Amino acid sequence: MKGICGDAKQQLNNCMLLGDAPPNGAATGNGVAASPAYRGGRTFRSRQVHSLAIRNTSSYDTMERPFRPDNLRGRWSKSADFYFATTSYAFGTMAFSDVSVWALMFGGWKYYLIAYVLAVCFYSLPIFLIQTFLGQFSTSGAISAFRVSPIFKGQSVPTHTLTAYLSNLHFICSTGIGYSILLLNLGTLSYYSVNAAVPLIYAVNSLHDVLPWMSCNNTWNSPNCSTHSSYDEEELCFSSMIGSIKEGSSEWTLSWSMVLAIVGIWLVVLSLLLSRVSIIGKVMRCACVLMFSFFLAVFVYLVIHEQFGWQTMLDYMHPTIHSWSGIRASLGTAILQASLVLGPGWGSVITLGSYNGFRSDAARLSIWASISHVVITVMATVCGHVANDHFELHVAMWHVEKKHNMQFLYVSFAYLFGSFTTLPKLWSFLFFTIVFLAEMCALVILMMSVLTAIFDEFEQLRQLKRRITILLSLCLMASSIYFCTQLGFSQVSALSYMALFTQVVFSALLVLMTTWIYGRVRFQCDLQFMLGKTISSAEIFVIRIVAPCFIALALYQISYMLYVNGAGDALIWTSQGLSYLIVVAYMFYKLAQTNGPWRQRLRQCFAPHDWHPVNPDNRVFYEEIMGTSEMLVIDNGNAA
């Protein structure tokens, strides 16, 4: 430990001196001139602190409740669990949707693929790294990690006063981004189980003797039903199996297959959440390995069966539909597709990173996760294009009325695998199992983000973990039933786009908070202390300057897709707008409650609060380097 921290200390010292010109004197071993100011221990550290962007504050400065970490929260059994958990997002529904297929048609590989890789490198990867840093450095979830800039976090409310706060508007005014993220994730969880229920239904139906969507022997078939040789585009199994379209049904009619699937999914999720984090990590690892194996087998067979050769790949290089507006839309879609690396909701990567060991190489893990997403997305795009071409050849997707963003996936892929001459049921089962496992993992991770954020922030609730986990899971399961109706299911598309829009907005605020307000120098130094290796200024430049440009493009593209998809539900816009209003209201409230001139108020509100490693040894070295000497918080005899 001393050797590791000693190396980190030396690197951190060098980092802090990068912006300072050395005084006159003899040169040191590192080529930096020495002087009395540099040789004095305490004077040297004082110089370092003044070179930082802002000063760290403690609970004694702000009179707020000190942060007490949960020493029993656990961690991954292997650092690879973090990689597998974050990579599982890549196999989700959006990877096989028509979004990338249409982008490929209008932009070709030479536009779409280049834009997508650039967006991953200069947008997704920087945000991924920042989130991993926040979680791993602070060992806390998506609320407590905002101690790095408390004005964005929200007021810490003691549990015994929660009832009083909920009874008046003070609670609404005392929530910042941290609690807005919690509300966003809870809203996403209310409908996200639908994304796992649909592929589960298709996977189960793939075990029938005859695939239901390839025959006319179903109760929902019309008299004009047609088989594979003369497929009728109006006979959509997707609508029949998922929606309730029986005669006499209404917008509030339930699809009982959806209800049964959602109940089963939430029970599995609940059983995992009641387990230790190390067990959840092992399950994620196994699930991701299965997805990798199944997808590779499906991809190879699909390429062989459809005779996808090198010439076809070259044809995909150029846009199928030549239009400058189409190319521009393709570029925006590629940037939007890159944001899926961060997972559903917001802050999932923070939560997963918080279960890493403090010295885990977050930079290397982030890079490998991003590379895996790129490879899987490219392969999934090829599969989607092949499925689209096959369906166009026999049915013509242009004549199929699209009523949901998942419809392309389940209509075209179900038809493609059903037409296979060898083991069609097997390939169909494997494919839909891949999508189901991916969405199930995403649901577990998103639920972990909510629970981790709650228990890390409110220490009094940690004794009730099991009860709260069961109660919250059952409540979310009950709310998911609404989306089993025709009306609720039709709103899932708009809700997912709105959640993605909010995710991108919070990502922009994250860059502002960590690299501008917290400070470039201190952010870079914290990274070096945690990783034990040098972080170049060029990497920090990309995070501070280049990433916001791609974020702006992503916001533009999502706004356009919201407009195209007709997200005109006032309730949806009101719920999303409330998240932003809460953040702004809390910031003004926090400034109003602070004394002194406005400049002093801003410095105090933006200064990090109790921002340090949780491990006592790491904290001692960190505070020695930073020039602070706060008291260690003692909780039940254990150093926090």
Side-chain angles (χ1 to χ4, degrees):
M1 174 62 73
K2 289 184 178 180
I4 295 175
C5 292
D7 294 338
K9 179 177 179 180
Q10 181 61 38
Q11 292 169 0
L12 202 60
N13 289 340
N14 295 336
C15 169
M16 291 181 175
L17 295 173
L18 288 176
D20 298 332
N24 296 328
T28 64
N30 295 326
V32 180
S35 72
Y38 279 76
R39 288 192 295 267
R42 179 57 62 180
T43 306
F44 179 59
R45 284 192 294 271
S46 179
R47 170 88 176 232
Q48 293 171 341
V49 173
H50 287 296
S51 70
L52 297 179
I54 49 179
R55 180 179 65 88
N56 188 23
T57 63
S58 67
S59 55
Y60 306 102
D61 299 322
T62 60
M63 300 302 292
E64 293 184 3
R65 174 179 62 83
F67 174 73
R68 292 184 174 88
D70 184 3
N71 297 322
L72 302 177
R73 70 198 305 273
R75 65 172 55 181
W76 304 120
S77 59
K78 294 183 178 180
S79 59
D81 292 345
F82 172 81
Y83 163 77
F84 285 114
T86 53
T87 304
S88 64
Y89 298 146
F91 298 97
T93 303
M94 289 300 296
F96 301 97
S97 68
D98 58 345
V99 173
S100 57
V101 173
W102 287 103
L104 191 61
M105 286 184 177
F106 283 98
W109 285 120
K110 66 179 181 180
Y111 293 114
Y112 169 75
L113 183 59
I114 293 175
Y116 174 72
V117 172
L118 290 176
V120 170
C121 293
F122 298 116
Y123 163 43
S124 301
L125 180 57
I127 301 300
F128 194 100
L129 179 60
I130 294 177
Q131 289 197 34
T132 306
F133 158 72
L134 289 177
Q136 184 170 316
F137 189 89
S138 64
T139 316
S140 53
I143 295 180
S144 300
F146 279 87
R147 303 192 309 276
V148 69
S149 188
I151 196 170
F152 292 107
K153 168 177 171 283
Q155 181 72 29
S156 298
V157 185
T159 307
H160 64 274
T161 62
L162 276 176
T163 305
Y165 273 86
L166 286 170
S167 63
N168 54 57
L169 294 178
H170 181 76
F171 177 77
I172 298 178
C173 296
S174 63
T175 53
I177 290 181
Y179 296 111
S180 296
I181 291 171
L182 182 62
L183 294 176
L184 169 67
N185 289 339
L186 285 172
T188 304
L189 280 166
S190 65
Y191 69 84
Y192 201 84
S193 56
V194 170
N195 292 341
V198 177
L200 176 60
I201 292 174
Y202 269 82
V204 171
N205 279 275
S206 298
L207 300 176
H208 290 177
D209 293 336
V210 178
L211 295 175
W213 49 87
M214 303 302 292
S215 72
C216 293
N217 299 322
N218 306 288
T219 57
W220 42 266
N221 288 133
S222 66
N224 299 323
C225 174
S226 56
T227 59
H228 177 225
S229 58
S230 58
Y231 198 81
D232 183 2
E233 61 268 19
E234 296 181 358
E235 287 293 333
L236 295 182
C237 180
F238 177 79
S239 300
S240 302
M241 296 174 62
I242 308 305
S244 300
I245 60 172
K246 295 181 296 184
E247 184 178 355
S249 62
S250 65
E251 291 184 339
W252 295 97
T253 303
L254 286 170
S255 170
W256 290 106
S257 59
M258 288 280 290
V259 173
L260 183 61
I262 284 178
V263 171
I265 288 169
W266 273 108
L267 291 178
V268 174
V269 170
L270 178 59
S271 64
L272 284 175
L273 294 173
L274 294 177
S275 305
R276 296 191 303 273
V277 173
S278 58
I279 295 178
I280 297 177
K282 293 177 182 178
V283 173
M284 294 284 182
R285 192 193 318 158
C286 294
C288 198
V289 170
L290 281 178
M291 286 186 280
F292 270 121
S293 304
F294 289 174
F295 182 57
L296 183 60
V298 171
F299 179 81
V300 172
Y301 186 80
L302 184 146
V303 169
I304 295 174
H305 184 273
E306 294 300 311
Q307 299 180 353
F308 183 87
W310 180 249
Q311 185 59 44
T312 308
M313 193 70 177
L314 292 178
D315 293 339
Y316 287 173
M317 288 292 296
H318 306 284
T320 305
I321 304 173
H322 297 277
S323 168
W324 170 243
S325 60
I327 293 175
R328 184 175 58 185
S330 175
L331 298 178
T333 303
I335 298 174
L336 176 64
Q337 193 82 1
S339 64
L340 299 178
V341 175
L342 303 174
W346 200 92
S348 297
V349 180
I350 294 179
T351 301
L352 297 176
S354 70
Y355 292 107
N356 286 339
F358 186 78
R359 294 294 171 185
S360 296
D361 195 343
R364 180 177 59 86
L365 293 173
S366 301
I367 292 173
W368 276 111
S370 299
I371 292 175
S372 299
H373 273 268
V374 171
V375 173
I376 295 169
T377 299
V378 170
M379 294 173 65
T381 302
V382 171
C383 292
H385 210 299
V386 171
N388 178 79
D389 291 345
H390 184 87
F391 197 81
E392 281 286 328
L393 181 63
H394 296 83
V395 181
M397 179 65 76
W398 298 95
H399 302 297
V400 177
E401 182 183 359
K402 183 179 177 182
K403 299 180 180 180
H404 196 276
N405 65 348
M406 291 191 293
Q407 184 168 313
F408 167 83
L409 191 162
Y410 296 102
V411 172
S412 59
F413 277 98
Y415 180 75
L416 173 64
F417 293 121
S419 65
F420 282 0
T421 55
T422 305
L423 303 174
K425 294 186 294 182
L426 172 64
W427 302 116
S428 177
F429 175 78
L430 292 181
F431 176 79
F432 291 118
T433 300
I434 293 169
V435 182
F436 162 68
L437 289 176
E439 299 295 1
M440 171 73 80
C441 290
L443 188 63
V444 172
I445 293 172
L446 192 56
M447 193 65 181
M448 283 178 62
S449 299
V450 170
L451 294 173
T452 301
I454 292 175
F455 297 134
D456 282 344
E457 182 65 11
F458 302 106
E459 57 183 306
Q460 292 88 346
L461 297 179
R462 295 169 189 170
Q463 300 177 355
L464 304 174
K465 278 186 179 182
R466 188 176 183 86
R467 296 180 183 178
I468 293 176
T469 300
I470 295 174
L471 179 61
L472 184 59
S473 298
L474 293 178
C475 290
L476 289 170
M477 179 178 68
S479 66
S480 300
I481 302 300
Y482 164 74
F483 296 98
C484 298
T485 64
Q486 290 187 32
L487 177 62
F489 190 77
S490 64
Q491 295 174 341
V492 172
S493 298
L495 285 170
S496 60
Y497 281 122
M498 287 301 300
L500 186 57
F501 181 87
T502 306
Q503 180 194 71
V504 176
V505 171
F506 284 164
S507 296
L509 293 175
L510 184 67
V511 174
L512 174 67
M513 177 188 68
T514 54
T515 64
W516 290 92
I517 297 175
Y518 183 64
R520 176 190 63 81
V521 175
R522 187 159 186 176
F523 172 70
Q524 185 176 358
C525 293
D526 284 357
L527 269 178
Q528 294 193 157
F529 179 83
M530 183 182 74
L531 301 179
K533 64 180 183 180
T534 303
I535 303 296
S536 67
S537 297
E539 296 174 277
I540 304 301
F541 174 82
V542 169
I543 297 175
R544 298 181 80 219
I545 306 298
V546 181
C549 297
F550 280 90
I551 290 175
L553 293 175
L555 284 174
Y556 170 79
Q557 182 64 20
I558 297 174
S559 301
Y560 173 75
M561 296 189 74
L562 281 170
Y563 173 77
V564 170
N565 283 272
D569 196 325
L571 180 61
I572 296 176
W573 284 100
T574 301
S575 62
Q576 294 294 319
L578 183 61
S579 300
Y580 308 127
L581 290 177
I582 285 176
V583 174
V584 175
Y586 173 72
M587 294 178 68
F588 281 105
Y589 167 80
K590 186 70 176 178
L591 288 172
Q593 294 297 311
T594 309
N595 298 323
W598 280 104
R599 186 172 181 178
Q600 180 180 347
R601 294 185 183 189
L602 287 172
R603 287 182 62 86
Q604 182 175 346
C605 291
F606 284 120
H609 170 223
D610 283 352
W611 183 250
H612 46 65
V614 168
N615 181 273
D617 292 335
N618 290 331
R619 177 173 176 177
V620 168
F621 278 99
Y622 180 75
E623 291 178 347
E624 180 183 357
I625 294 170
M626 291 300 177
T628 61
S629 57
E630 297 178 17
M631 295 174 57
L632 287 176
V633 178
I634 306 299
D635 184 22
N636 296 329
N638 297 320

Coordinates of all heavy atoms in Angstrom, one line a residue, residues 467-509:
R467 N -36.1 -4.9 3.3 CA -37.5 -4.5 3.2 C -37.8 -3.5 2.1 O -38.7 -3.6 1.3 CB -38.0 -4.0 4.5 CG -38.0 -5.0 5.6 CD -38.5 -4.4 6.9 NE -38.4 -5.3 8.1 CZ -38.7 -5.0 9.3 NH1 -39.2 -3.8 9.6 NH2 -38.7 -5.9 10.3
I468 N -36.9 -2.5 2.0 CA -37.0 -1.5 1.0 C -36.8 -2.0 -0.4 O -37.6 -1.7 -1.3 CB -36.0 -0.3 1.3 CG1 -36.4 0.4 2.6 CG2 -36.0 0.7 0.1 CD1 -35.4 1.4 3.0
T469 N -35.9 -2.9 -0.6 CA -35.7 -3.6 -1.9 C -36.9 -4.3 -2.3 O -37.4 -4.2 -3.5 CB -34.5 -4.5 -1.8 OG1 -33.3 -3.8 -1.4 CG2 -34.2 -5.2 -3.2
I470 N -37.5 -5.1 -1.4 CA -38.7 -5.9 -1.8 C -39.9 -4.9 -2.1 O -40.6 -5.1 -3.1 CB -39.1 -6.8 -0.7 CG1 -38.0 -7.9 -0.5 CG2 -40.4 -7.5 -0.9 CD1 -38.2 -8.8 0.7
L471 N -40.1 -3.9 -1.2 CA -41.2 -3.0 -1.4 C -41.1 -2.2 -2.7 O -42.0 -2.1 -3.5 CB -41.3 -2.0 -0.2 CG -42.4 -1.0 -0.3 CD1 -43.8 -1.7 -0.3 CD2 -42.3 -0.1 0.9
L472 N -39.9 -1.7 -3.0 CA -39.7 -0.9 -4.2 C -39.8 -1.7 -5.5 O -40.4 -1.3 -6.5 CB -38.3 -0.2 -4.2 CG -38.0 0.7 -5.3 CD1 -39.0 1.9 -5.4 CD2 -36.6 1.3 -5.2
S473 N -39.3 -3.0 -5.4 CA -39.5 -3.8 -6.6 C -40.9 -4.2 -6.9 O -41.4 -4.2 -8.0 CB -38.7 -5.1 -6.3 OG -37.3 -4.9 -6.2
L474 N -41.7 -4.4 -5.8 CA -43.1 -4.8 -6.0 C -43.9 -3.6 -6.5 O -44.8 -3.7 -7.4 CB -43.7 -5.3 -4.7 CG -43.2 -6.6 -4.2 CD1 -43.8 -7.0 -2.9 CD2 -43.4 -7.7 -5.2
C475 N -43.5 -2.4 -6.1 CA -44.2 -1.2 -6.5 C -43.9 -0.9 -8.0 O -44.8 -0.6 -8.8 CB -43.8 0.1 -5.7 SG -44.4 0.0 -4.0
L476 N -42.7 -1.1 -8.4 CA -42.3 -0.9 -9.8 C -42.9 -2.0 -10.7 O -43.3 -1.7 -11.8 CB -40.8 -0.9 -9.9 CG -40.1 0.3 -9.4 CD1 -38.5 0.1 -9.3 CD2 -40.4 1.6 -10.2
M477 N -43.0 -3.2 -10.2 CA -43.7 -4.2 -10.9 C -45.1 -3.9 -11.2 O -45.7 -4.1 -12.3 CB -43.6 -5.6 -10.2 CG -44.2 -6.7 -10.9 SD -44.0 -8.3 -10.0 CE -45.0 -8.0 -8.6
A478 N -45.8 -3.4 -10.1 CA -47.2 -3.0 -10.3 C -47.3 -1.8 -11.3 O -48.3 -1.8 -12.1 CB -47.8 -2.5 -8.9
S479 N -46.4 -0.9 -11.3 CA -46.5 0.3 -12.2 C -46.2 -0.2 -13.7 O -46.8 0.4 -14.6 CB -45.5 1.4 -11.8 OG -44.2 0.9 -12.0
S480 N -45.5 -1.3 -13.8 CA -45.2 -1.8 -15.1 C -46.4 -2.4 -15.8 O -46.4 -2.5 -17.0 CB -44.0 -2.8 -15.1 OG -42.8 -2.3 -14.6
I481 N -47.4 -2.8 -15.0 CA -48.6 -3.4 -15.6 C -49.3 -2.4 -16.5 O -49.9 -2.8 -17.5 CB -49.5 -3.9 -14.4 CG1 -48.8 -4.9 -13.5 CG2 -50.8 -4.5 -15.0 CD1 -48.3 -6.1 -14.2
Y482 N -49.2 -1.1 -16.2 CA -49.8 -0.1 -17.1 C -49.3 -0.2 -18.5 O -50.1 0.0 -19.4 CB -49.6 1.3 -16.5 CG -49.9 2.4 -17.5 CD1 -51.2 2.7 -17.8 CD2 -48.8 3.1 -18.1 CE1 -51.5 3.7 -18.7 CE2 -49.1 4.1 -19.0 CZ -50.4 4.4 -19.3 OH -50.7 5.4 -20.2
F483 N -48.1 -0.6 -18.7 CA -47.5 -0.6 -20.0 C -47.8 -1.9 -20.7 O -47.3 -2.2 -21.8 CB -46.0 -0.4 -19.9 CG -45.6 1.0 -19.4 CD1 -45.3 1.2 -18.1 CD2 -45.7 2.1 -20.2 CE1 -45.0 2.4 -17.6 CE2 -45.4 3.3 -19.8 CZ -45.0 3.5 -18.4
C484 N -48.6 -2.8 -20.1 CA -49.1 -4.0 -20.7 C -50.4 -3.7 -21.5 O -51.0 -4.6 -22.1 CB -49.3 -5.1 -19.7 SG -47.8 -5.6 -18.9
T485 N -50.9 -2.5 -21.3 CA -52.1 -2.1 -22.1 C -51.7 -1.5 -23.4 O -50.6 -1.1 -23.6 CB -52.9 -1.0 -21.3 OG1 -52.1 0.2 -21.1 CG2 -53.3 -1.6 -19.9
Q486 N -52.7 -1.3 -24.3 CA -52.4 -0.7 -25.6 C -51.9 0.7 -25.5 O -51.0 1.1 -26.1 CB -53.7 -0.8 -26.5 CG -54.1 -2.2 -26.9 CD -55.2 -2.1 -27.9 OE1 -55.3 -1.2 -28.7 NE2 -56.0 -3.1 -27.9
L487 N -52.6 1.4 -24.6 CA -52.2 2.8 -24.4 C -50.8 3.0 -23.8 O -50.0 3.7 -24.3 CB -53.2 3.5 -23.4 CG -52.9 5.0 -23.1 CD1 -52.9 5.8 -24.4 CD2 -54.0 5.5 -22.1
G488 N -50.5 2.2 -22.8 CA -49.2 2.3 -22.1 C -48.1 1.8 -23.0 O -47.0 2.4 -23.1
F489 N -48.3 0.7 -23.8 CA -47.3 0.2 -24.7 C -47.0 1.2 -25.8 O -45.8 1.3 -26.2 CB -47.8 -1.1 -25.3 CG -46.7 -1.9 -26.0 CD1 -45.7 -2.5 -25.3 CD2 -46.7 -1.9 -27.4 CE1 -44.7 -3.2 -26.0 CE2 -45.7 -2.6 -28.1 CZ -44.7 -3.2 -27.4
S490 N -48.0 1.9 -26.2 CA -47.7 2.9 -27.3 C -46.9 4.1 -26.8 O -46.3 4.8 -27.7 CB -49.1 3.4 -27.9 OG -49.8 4.2 -26.8
Q491 N -46.8 4.3 -25.5 CA -46.0 5.4 -25.0 C -44.6 5.1 -24.6 O -43.8 6.0 -24.3 CB -46.7 6.0 -23.7 CG -48.1 6.5 -24.0 CD -48.8 6.9 -22.7 OE1 -48.5 6.4 -21.6 NE2 -49.8 7.8 -22.8
V492 N -44.2 3.8 -24.7 CA -42.9 3.4 -24.4 C -41.8 4.1 -25.2 O -40.7 4.5 -24.8 CB -42.7 1.9 -24.4 CG1 -41.3 1.5 -24.2 CG2 -43.6 1.3 -23.3
S493 N -42.1 4.2 -26.5 CA -41.1 4.8 -27.5 C -40.8 6.2 -27.1 O -39.6 6.6 -27.0 CB -41.7 4.8 -28.9 OG -41.9 3.4 -29.3
A494 N -41.8 7.0 -26.9 CA -41.6 8.4 -26.5 C -40.9 8.6 -25.2 O -40.0 9.4 -25.0 CB -42.9 9.2 -26.5
L495 N -41.2 7.7 -24.2 CA -40.6 7.8 -22.9 C -39.1 7.4 -23.0 O -38.3 8.1 -22.3 CB -41.3 6.8 -22.0 CG -42.7 7.2 -21.4 CD1 -43.4 6.1 -20.7 CD2 -42.5 8.4 -20.5
S496 N -38.8 6.5 -23.8 CA -37.4 6.1 -23.9 C -36.5 7.2 -24.6 O -35.4 7.5 -24.1 CB -37.2 4.8 -24.8 OG -37.8 5.0 -26.1
Y497 N -37.1 7.9 -25.6 CA -36.4 9.0 -26.2 C -36.3 10.2 -25.2 O -35.2 10.9 -25.2 CB -37.1 9.5 -27.4 CG -36.8 8.6 -28.6 CD1 -37.9 8.0 -29.3 CD2 -35.5 8.4 -29.1 CE1 -37.6 7.2 -30.4 CE2 -35.3 7.6 -30.2 CZ -36.3 7.0 -30.8 OH -36.1 6.2 -31.9
M498 N -37.3 10.4 -24.4 CA -37.2 11.5 -23.4 C -36.2 11.2 -22.3 O -35.4 12.1 -21.9 CB -38.6 11.7 -22.7 CG -39.6 12.4 -23.6 SD -39.2 14.0 -24.2 CE -39.0 14.8 -22.7
A499 N -36.1 9.9 -21.9 CA -35.1 9.5 -20.9 C -33.7 9.7 -21.5 O -32.8 10.2 -20.8 CB -35.3 8.1 -20.5
L500 N -33.5 9.4 -22.8 CA -32.2 9.6 -23.4 C -31.8 11.0 -23.6 O -30.7 11.4 -23.4 CB -32.2 8.9 -24.8 CG -30.9 8.9 -25.6 CD1 -29.8 8.2 -24.8 CD2 -31.1 8.2 -26.9
F501 N -32.8 11.9 -23.8 CA -32.6 13.3 -23.9 C -32.1 13.8 -22.6 O -31.1 14.6 -22.5 CB -33.9 14.0 -24.3 CG -33.8 15.5 -24.4 CD1 -33.4 16.1 -25.6 CD2 -34.1 16.3 -23.4 CE1 -33.3 17.5 -25.8 CE2 -34.0 17.7 -23.5 CZ -33.6 18.3 -24.7
T502 N -32.7 13.4 -21.5 CA -32.3 13.9 -20.2 C -30.9 13.3 -19.8 O -30.1 14.0 -19.2 CB -33.3 13.4 -19.1 OG1 -34.7 13.9 -19.5 CG2 -33.0 14.0 -17.7
Q503 N -30.6 12.1 -20.3 CA -29.3 11.5 -20.0 C -28.2 12.4 -20.6 O -27.2 12.7 -20.0 CB -29.3 10.1 -20.6 CG -27.9 9.4 -20.3 CD -27.8 8.2 -21.2 OE1 -27.7 8.3 -22.4 NE2 -27.8 7.0 -20.6
V504 N -28.5 12.8 -21.9 CA -27.5 13.6 -22.6 C -27.3 15.0 -21.9 O -26.2 15.5 -21.7 CB -27.8 13.8 -24.0 CG1 -26.8 14.7 -24.7 CG2 -27.9 12.5 -24.7
V505 N -28.4 15.6 -21.4 CA -28.3 16.9 -20.7 C -27.5 16.7 -19.4 O -26.6 17.6 -19.1 CB -29.7 17.4 -20.4 CG1 -29.7 18.6 -19.5 CG2 -30.5 17.8 -21.7
F506 N -27.7 15.7 -18.7 CA -27.0 15.5 -17.4 C -25.5 15.2 -17.7 O -24.6 15.5 -16.9 CB -27.6 14.3 -16.6 CG -28.9 14.7 -15.9 CD1 -29.7 13.8 -15.4 CD2 -29.2 16.1 -15.7 CE1 -30.9 14.1 -14.8 CE2 -30.4 16.4 -15.1 CZ -31.2 15.5 -14.6
S507 N -25.2 14.6 -18.9 CA -23.9 14.3 -19.3 C -23.1 15.6 -19.5 O -22.0 15.8 -19.2 CB -23.8 13.4 -20.5 OG -24.3 12.1 -20.3
A508 N -23.8 16.6 -20.1 CA -23.2 17.9 -20.3 C -22.9 18.6 -19.0 O -21.9 19.2 -18.8 CB -24.2 18.8 -21.2
L509 N -23.9 18.5 -18.1 CA -23.6 19.1 -16.8 C -22.5 18.4 -16.0 O -21.8 19.0 -15.2 CB -24.9 19.0 -15.9 CG -26.1 19.9 -16.4 CD1 -27.3 19.6 -15.6 CD2 -25.7 21.3 -16.4

